[in-house]
């Protein structure tokens, strides 16, 4: 497929994703937090709040306490996503830099990219399948799952599957892929897409990026805005100025004074 | 508002069967409501509790503290529950024509 | 150790028939709520939802960012007890989320089906009414949710929306009406209030031979004590505990018949009532000229006071320090300053455990003080299992405006996890500083045929405190 076209679609998708997420965050930010509602016992300092949020977003602390089995799968899935993101960036967008950073030869670098990419891809696929099976197999989970939940899992599975296909079935030429990505990055040439699987992979990612701001994927940003987690537990140390939720209306006979 | 008919008279009651207007209350009301609270026949002991509750309500505008009820009638809480299986705040107050005590109890 | 109570099977609709009595005009009108469902009720409910989304960040945030992982599902005592899938916090929130996605989000409008949206129909409203009154706003789900989603906020919003179209429970609105007209939840008028206090004074005189006062509307006292009015009806020993504590510590205090209620049922209905009820305490404290507000043994009262009072009706700079204090904090301070002495022998023979009221633990940050007191006044103090205490405490099963008789079935089912933990502890007394918990425990002990007693922390302190003339 035409490289310039793909590049345009991809860049637009990324822009859409960023703007969309920003717009969702702005939407939340526009609404005030009228009351102090931190979950207690909770941190009393900003540092403590940062630690609480870090614990939730890096270690999934609450999930660990809630459901250790799910925690393993969910944490591995998110970990693989992050690693894949780093890997794609390091291996395709900035290969020279990454190679130098790792201190490897070109061959070594390619070999390790193939190896780690494949391994993490399998991990992502396995954990996604686990999440999907869980949604299907468990009665309570089936009851709470929406069409959107399955759609997202399937979309992600397809993305990972096409990625793995490039790696294992008909080895993609990394040099071609890099050339395409750098062409895309710089908008300067119209390098054609290496193959149709690559094109599919990329377009699916674009679909995910565009869908994300409308979906539960906003949780990646939302958790940081959650007053139950990000407020300090200091209602009595400092006055929390809430917004006015309209003036109180009094319809009672005048109260007796004590 | 639901109503009930006791010995030919109509009373407005709330969802739980408490009569709405304590001024309408008399012995016939207590007798009429007893069966619904799991009491076969009102004895002197029942009446002691009922009369105390009603007179306290008439004077103070609310049910007395449960401990005061026990002390003034000479019955401990267990006895009161034996007399009124649904308890002092439900059965006893209902028979005495008080509005249902609600709040955090 | 007795076996834990058996788990309940997953049963759709299991709890659908358990509804609270609807409030009629008599209780809605005084609160400024419409007495009938307005003809355009759908539109006005959606407007209210819109309004709330613009006024409270948590609401749209929680509706948007739930990932339906289900981690919260088996954390709610009402799901554990009833097995009704709609009592899973995620599904409960889903009742509002469905409507929100359909009407408020672009995603919902564009990709309707994928967004999982549903219209606000009469049937939906009925589901809201049932299941948003089977949530005690206990926040236990939030503790386990990886996003920290607090379904209690969603329940509060749903109830506020319903209230705005005249749909509310009789229990909550009747209590609020009494607060405004009489000054407390029980509706105890001043004469009865005074009579009850005098009665308890006599009781204490008989017991100790000393005049221990329970002052009423006393001006210029150091402390305004705000108890739940239930203490003056059903929990006399808690009341006696407060009195002995202030007496022994030599701190002048008073109760107020204008603010004779610690509890704030506004928390269970809408923001306006939350603020109005809360203001009564501040106004009473100002008029009586006290220097401190001390909150009595009521769970959600502490949330409304410690977390919201300053925001809603502050600044509280006429107080010193400018914040409300909890009776347990006060007692601990008195113990630490050696202004009171206790003798735990007075409570010998009691095996006591502590139940954390949800609002104290998860919304008020008060977990250590009651334990400090109990350790000092009881020799056999034991904890229940760690995953049922402190921040992870189970709700007693009747908080959040659920302590209505007609909800007894779901209340007793919701009490199950707590009862199981209590039985496993081997205690024969549970101490808890909350009037709702006390009433619920008494009922649940009877229901589950557990031979045990529920008491206040102040009850035990009152027995152990050394009284001198
Ligand atoms: S734990 Fe949180 S994110 Fe998961 S389903 Fe429950 S509310 Fe949603
Ligand atoms: S706040 Fe409590 S009662 Fe309500 S859904 Fe969450 S766990 Fe259940």
């Amino acid at each position: 497929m035409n490289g310039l076209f793909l590049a345009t679609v991809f860049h637009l998708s990324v822009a859409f994703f960023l703007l969309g997420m920003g717009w969702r965050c702005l939407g939340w930010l526009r609404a005030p937090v009228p009351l102090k509602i931190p979950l207690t016992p909770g941190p009393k300092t900003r540092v403590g709040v940062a630690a609480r949020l870090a614990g939730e977003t890096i270690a999934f602390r609450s999930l660990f306490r809630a459901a250790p089995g799910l925690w393993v799968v969910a944490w591995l899935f998110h970990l693989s996503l992050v690693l894949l993101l780093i890997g794609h960036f390091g291996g395709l967008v900035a290969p020279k830099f990454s190679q130098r950073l790792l201190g490897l030869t070109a061959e070594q670098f390619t070999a390790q990219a193939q190896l780690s990419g494949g391994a993490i891809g399998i991990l992502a696929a396995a954990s996604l399948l686990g999440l999907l099976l869980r949604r299907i197999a468990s009665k309570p989970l089936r009851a709470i799952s929406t069409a959107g939940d399955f759609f997202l899992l399937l979309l992600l599975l397809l993305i990972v599957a096409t990625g793995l296909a490039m790696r294992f079935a008909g080895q993609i030429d990394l040099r071609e892929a890099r050339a395409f990505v750098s062409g895309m990055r710089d908008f300067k040439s119209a390098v054609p897409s290496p193959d149709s699987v690559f094109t599919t992979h990329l377009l699916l990612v674009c679909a995910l990026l565009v869908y994300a701001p409308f979906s539960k994927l906003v949780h990646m940003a939302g958790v940081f805005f959650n007053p139950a987690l990000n407020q300090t537990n200091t209602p009595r140390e400092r006055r929390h100025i809430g917004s006015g939720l309209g003036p109180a209306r009094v319809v009672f006979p005048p109260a007796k004074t004590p | 508002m639901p109503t009930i008919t006791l010995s030919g008279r109509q009373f407005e009651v709330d969802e739980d069967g408490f009569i709405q207007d304590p001024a309408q209350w008399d012995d016939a009301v207590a007798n009429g409501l007893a069966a619904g609270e799991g009491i076969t026949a009102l004895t002197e002991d029942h009446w002691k509790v009922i009369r105390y509750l009603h007179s306290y309500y008439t004077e103070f505008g609310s049910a007395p503290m449960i401990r005061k009820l026990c002390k003034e009638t000479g019955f401990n809480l267990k006895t009161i529950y034996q007399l009124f299986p649904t308890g002092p705040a439900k059965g006893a107050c209902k028979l005495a024509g008080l509005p249902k005590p609600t709040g955090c109890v | 150790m007795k076996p834990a109570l058996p788990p309940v099977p997953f049963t759709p609709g299991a709890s659908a028939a358990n509804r609270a009595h609807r409030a009629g005009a008599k209780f809605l009108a005084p609160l400024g709520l419409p007495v009938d469902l307005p003809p355009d009720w759908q539109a006005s409910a959606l407007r209210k939802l819109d309004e709330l989304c613009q006024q409270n960040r948590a609401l749209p945030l929680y509706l948007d960012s739930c990932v339906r992982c289900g981690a919260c599902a088996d954390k709610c005592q009402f799901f554990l007890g009833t097995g009704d899938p709609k009592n899973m916090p995620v599904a409960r929130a889903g009742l509002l989320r469905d409507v929100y996605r359909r009407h408020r989000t672009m995603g919902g409008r564009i990709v309707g089906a994928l967004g999982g949206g549903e219209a606000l129909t009469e049937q939906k409203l009925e589901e809201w009414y049932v299941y948003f009154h089977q949530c005690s706003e206990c926040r236990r789900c939030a503790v386990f949710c990886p996003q920290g989603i607090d379904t209690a906020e969603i329940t509060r919003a749903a109830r506020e929306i319903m209230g705005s179209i005249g749909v509310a429970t009789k229990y909550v609105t009747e209590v609020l009406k009494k607060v405004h007209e009489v000054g407390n939840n029980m509706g105890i008028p001043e004469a009865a209030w005074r009579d009850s206090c005098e009665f308890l004074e006599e009781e204490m005189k008989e017991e100790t031979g000393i005049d221990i006062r329970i002052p009423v509307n006393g001006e210029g006292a150091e402390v305004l004590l705000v108890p739940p009015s239930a203490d003056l009806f059903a929990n006399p020993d808690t009341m006696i505990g407060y009195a002995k504590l202030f007496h022994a510590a030599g701190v002048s205090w008073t109760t107020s018949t204008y603010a004779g209620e610690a509890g704030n049922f506004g928390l269970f209905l809408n923001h306006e009532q939350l603020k109005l009820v809360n203001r009564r305490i501040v106004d009473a404290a100002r008029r009586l000229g006290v220097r401190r507000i001390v909150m009595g043994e009521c769970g959600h009262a502490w949330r409304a006071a410690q977390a919201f009072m300053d925001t809603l009706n502050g600044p509280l700079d006429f107080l010193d320090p400018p914040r409300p204090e909890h009776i347990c904090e006060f007692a601990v301070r008195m113990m630490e300053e050696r202004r009171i002495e206790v003798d735990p022998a007075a409570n010998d023979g009691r095996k006591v455990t502590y139940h954390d009221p949800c609002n104290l633990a998860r919304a008020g940050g008060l977990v250590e003080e009651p334990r400090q007191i109990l350790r000092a006044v009881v020799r056999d103090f034991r904890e229940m299992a760690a995953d049922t205490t402190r921040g992870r405490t189970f709700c007693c099963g009747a908080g959040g405006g659920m302590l209505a008789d007609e909800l007894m079935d779901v209340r007793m089912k919701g009490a199950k996890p707590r009862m199981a933990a209590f039985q496993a502890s081997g205690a024969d007394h549970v101490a808890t500083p909350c009037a709702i918990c006390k009433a619920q425990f008494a009922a649940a002990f009877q229901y589950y045929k557990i031979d045990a007693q529920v008491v206040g922390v102040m009850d035990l302190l009152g027995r152990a405190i050394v009284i001198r003339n």
Side-chain angles (χ1 to χ4, degrees):
Chain A
M1 195 178 277
N2 182 301
L4 198 56
F5 170 72
L6 275 183
T8 312
V9 170
F10 181 71
H11 282 279
L12 281 178
S13 302
V14 172
F16 189 91
F17 170 78
L18 292 175
L19 287 175
M21 285 305 239
W23 173 71
R24 298 307 302 267
C25 293
L26 258 180
W28 296 323
L29 279 174
R30 267 206 309 265
V33 181
L35 297 170
K36 264 280 187 194
I37 56 167
L39 270 173
T40 67
K44 286 198 165 280
T45 61
R46 299 306 313 174
V47 177
V49 165
R52 175 182 233 176
L53 283 171
E56 291 301 342
T57 50
I58 297 172
F60 298 8
R61 200 168 146 263
S62 293
L63 185 60
F64 180 72
R65 289 208 294 199
L70 172 60
W71 177 85
V72 173
V73 183
W75 193 77
L76 286 178
F77 164 65
H78 285 83
L79 177 75
S80 64
L81 273 192
V82 171
L83 291 178
L84 286 174
L85 204 67
I86 296 174
H88 279 64
F89 192 83
L92 296 174
V93 183
K96 297 246 167 56
F97 171 77
S98 320
Q99 186 190 326
R100 248 181 293 130
L101 194 74
L102 294 173
L104 302 173
T105 65
E107 288 72 37
Q108 284 172 328
F109 181 65
T110 302
Q112 79 75 35
Q114 302 267 17
L115 190 73
S116 57
I120 299 167
I122 290 171
L123 179 65
S127 50
L128 274 169
L129 275 177
L131 292 174
L132 184 64
L133 281 181
R134 179 172 168 272
R135 264 197 204 284
I136 297 168
S138 137
K139 243 195 226 174
L141 258 286
R142 267 206 313 275
I144 58 173
S145 298
T146 65
D149 297 332
F150 289 106
F151 173 72
L152 254 181
L153 281 175
L154 290 175
L155 186 57
L156 282 163
L157 262 172
L158 276 176
I159 291 173
V160 176
T162 45
L164 285 174
M166 282 183 273
R167 168 69 185 78
F168 291 106
Q171 284 284 6
I172 190 169
D173 186 331
L174 264 181
R175 263 177 320 164
E176 269 180 48
R178 278 180 198 141
F180 175 78
V181 169
S182 50
M184 206 163 73
R185 181 191 57 200
D186 304 337
F187 272 112
K188 68 181 177 207
S189 67
V191 185
S193 164
D195 64 17
S196 60
V197 185
F198 185 97
T199 308
T200 316
H201 185 69
L202 190 70
L203 287 177
L204 287 170
V205 170
C206 291
L208 181 70
L209 288 171
V210 172
Y211 178 55
F214 300 112
S215 75
K216 65 177 182 180
L217 288 183
V218 296
H219 77 273
M220 68 178 81
V223 63
F224 297 100
F225 295 92
N226 183 351
L229 299 177
N230 73 13
Q231 286 185 332
T232 52
N233 178 25
T234 49
R236 294 191 288 166
E237 283 78 353
R238 241 164 293 122
R239 185 171 184 225
H240 176 80
I241 305 292
S243 69
L245 280 188
R249 196 167 66 239
V250 188
V251 289
F252 304 97
K256 282 175 278 168
T257 45
Chain B
M1 188 65 67
T3 57
I4 52 161
T5 310
L6 298 172
S7 47
R9 280 192 300 155
Q10 273 223 334
F11 297 89
E12 278 199 350
V13 293
D14 71 3
E15 292 82 345
D16 300 301
F18 284 69
I19 63 165
Q20 289 298 283
D21 179 8
Q24 283 186 309
W25 181 86
D26 59 17
D27 291 10
V29 173
N31 279 316
L33 290 171
E37 296 304 306
I39 301 161
T40 34
L42 293 177
T43 64
E44 249 336 284
D45 288 352
H46 289 105
W47 283 110
K48 203 167 164 187
V49 173
I50 291 171
R51 294 213 193 288
Y52 178 70
L53 283 173
H54 193 79
S55 75
Y56 191 93
Y57 183 81
T58 312
E59 185 176 352
F60 291 104
S62 81
M65 222 176 182
I66 292 177
R67 180 164 300 174
K68 183 160 183 174
L69 170 71
C70 294
K71 187 141 189 179
E72 298 288 331
T73 55
F75 301 132
N76 61 25
L77 198 54
K78 217 173 134 202
T79 316
I80 296 206
Y81 267 96
Q82 277 159 5
L83 292 171
F84 300 91
T86 50
K90 283 162 208 147
C93 281
K94 185 190 274 189
L95 266 54
L98 273 58
K100 184 177 177 190
T102 66
C104 304
V105 291
Chain C
M1 203 195 279
K2 287 181 202 158
L5 303 161
V8 177
F10 187 85
T11 322
S15 206
N18 213 318
R19 327 166 70 243
H21 296 327
R22 277 271 291 273
K26 183 173 163 192
F27 302 121
L28 292 168
L31 306 182
L33 303 177
V35 299
D36 286 309
L37 207 57
D40 66 336
W41 65 271
Q42 274 130 325
S44 55
L46 293 172
R47 264 199 309 279
K48 190 74 187 176
L49 171 62
D50 235 51
E51 209 179 286
L52 291 178
C53 282
Q54 286 159 26
Q55 289 169 340
N56 181 6
R57 182 177 308 162
L59 182 57
L61 181 71
Y62 294 167
L63 292 172
D64 288 333
S65 56
C66 167
V67 293
R68 286 169 296 282
C69 65
C72 57
D74 59 350
K75 302 304 179 288
C76 175
Q77 50 283 333
F78 298 106
F79 174 62
L80 290 173
T82 64
D84 189 322
K86 295 219 163 68
N87 273 329
M88 295 188 281
V90 41
R92 191 187 316 285
L95 296 172
L96 185 58
R97 183 176 296 113
D98 288 346
V99 173
Y100 166 87
R101 291 204 72 103
R102 166 64 58 90
H103 294 282
R104 252 195 71 86
T105 65
M106 198 183 288
R109 284 183 224 126
I110 299 172
V111 287
L114 287 183
E118 270 182 50
L120 177 55
T121 58
E122 234 159 272
Q123 192 196 338
K124 194 82 188 163
L125 181 63
E126 166 68 13
E127 280 184 338
W128 280 16
Y129 186 73
V130 170
Y131 292 103
F132 286 121
H133 290 105
Q134 294 189 14
C135 166
S136 60
E137 305 183 357
C138 78
R139 314 186 91 197
R140 190 167 198 270
C141 44
V143 171
F144 293 94
C145 170
Q147 311 294 320
I149 290 172
D150 177 5
T151 305
E153 283 298 306
I154 292 174
T155 294
R156 293 207 314 123
R159 292 202 194 163
E160 177 142 12
I161 295 169
M162 287 190 280
S164 75
I165 54 170
V167 176
T169 68
K170 177 192 175 209
Y171 174 62
V172 169
T173 50
E174 178 177 17
V175 161
L176 281 166
K177 177 174 189 267
K178 286 192 285 185
V179 169
H180 293 293
E181 286 172 359
V182 188
N184 58 72
N185 287 4
M186 294 294 304
I188 303 171
E190 179 167 343
W193 188 281
R194 287 183 185 277
D195 178 68
S196 301
C197 291
E198 279 163 25
F199 169 74
L200 290 178
E201 287 171 352
E202 285 159 28
E203 292 274 292
M204 287 188 282
K205 176 94 182 181
E206 260 173 48
E207 182 206 329
T208 63
I210 294 170
D211 285 312
I212 302 172
R213 302 252 301 113
I214 302 183
V216 181
N217 297 339
E219 284 180 29
E222 161 108 9
V223 165
L224 166 63
L225 175 85
V226 190
S229 57
D231 286 355
L232 225 53
F233 180 75
N235 311 315
D237 288 318
T238 308
M239 220 47 220
I240 287 175
Y242 304 137
K244 286 183 174 174
L245 170 59
F246 287 114
H247 177 90
V251 172
S252 68
W253 68 298
T254 185
T255 58
S256 154
T257 51
Y258 181 76
E261 183 58 55
N264 188 329
F265 275 35
L267 200 50
F268 311 149
L269 182 65
N270 62 31
H271 191 88
E272 180 185 44
Q273 290 299 327
L274 174 64
K275 181 170 174 147
L276 282 173
V277 174
N278 190 279
R279 182 150 77 210
R280 299 180 71 90
I281 298 174
V282 180
D283 286 350
R286 272 218 179 82
R287 286 184 217 146
L288 291 170
V290 297
R291 284 178 43 220
R292 278 173 190 277
I293 294 172
V294 174
M295 303 300 293
E297 292 201 350
C298 168
H300 74 281
W302 182 236
R303 179 175 205 195
Q306 83 109 29
F308 303 157
M309 187 183 276
D310 205 2
T311 298
L312 293 175
N313 294 304
L316 303 175
D317 41 21
F318 64 102
L319 299 174
D320 175 29
R323 58 186 181 82
E325 189 172 19
H326 193 273
I327 188 73
C328 288
E329 291 178 323
F330 177 81
V332 166
R333 197 155 58 82
M334 293 302 113
M335 291 198 302
E336 280 169 354
E337 290 175 12
R338 301 197 176 286
R339 291 170 68 174
I340 56 170
E341 254 175 70
V342 293
D343 174 14
N347 286 313
D348 277 356
R350 295 183 169 85
K351 294 181 247 176
V352 180
T353 187
Y354 177 68
H355 162 72
D356 290 273
C358 356
N359 275 296
L360 284 194
R362 278 190 287 268
L366 197 96
V367 292
E368 291 311 327
E369 289 84 351
R371 291 180 163 82
Q372 265 171 279
I373 299 171
L374 290 175
R375 277 192 216 102
V377 304
V378 179
R379 273 199 277 236
D380 185 347
F381 172 67
R382 44 181 85 195
E383 290 280 4
M384 289 185 267
D387 59 349
T388 73
T389 55
R390 296 191 158 85
R392 285 177 280 171
T393 185
F394 274 111
C395 172
C396 63
M402 288 180 62
L403 189 73
D405 285 338
E406 66 272 19
L407 289 178
M408 195 57 91
D409 180 57
V410 64
R411 278 172 51 191
M412 292 303 112
K413 289 172 176 166
K416 214 167 165 174
R418 178 37 92 217
M419 290 300 124
F422 176 79
Q423 281 190 311
S425 77
D428 57 17
H429 278 67
V430 62
T432 187
C434 173
I436 291 177
C437 298
K438 286 173 195 166
Q440 166 78 350
F441 267 95
F445 281 156
Q446 218 181 5
Y447 181 88
Y448 286 105
K449 305 201 169 42
I450 297 172
D451 187 19
Q453 240 192 309
V454 55
V455 294
V457 174
M458 287 303 123
D459 306 29
L460 297 172
L461 176 69
R463 267 192 208 102
I465 203 161
V466 179
I467 298 283
R468 301 202 176 79
N469 209 340

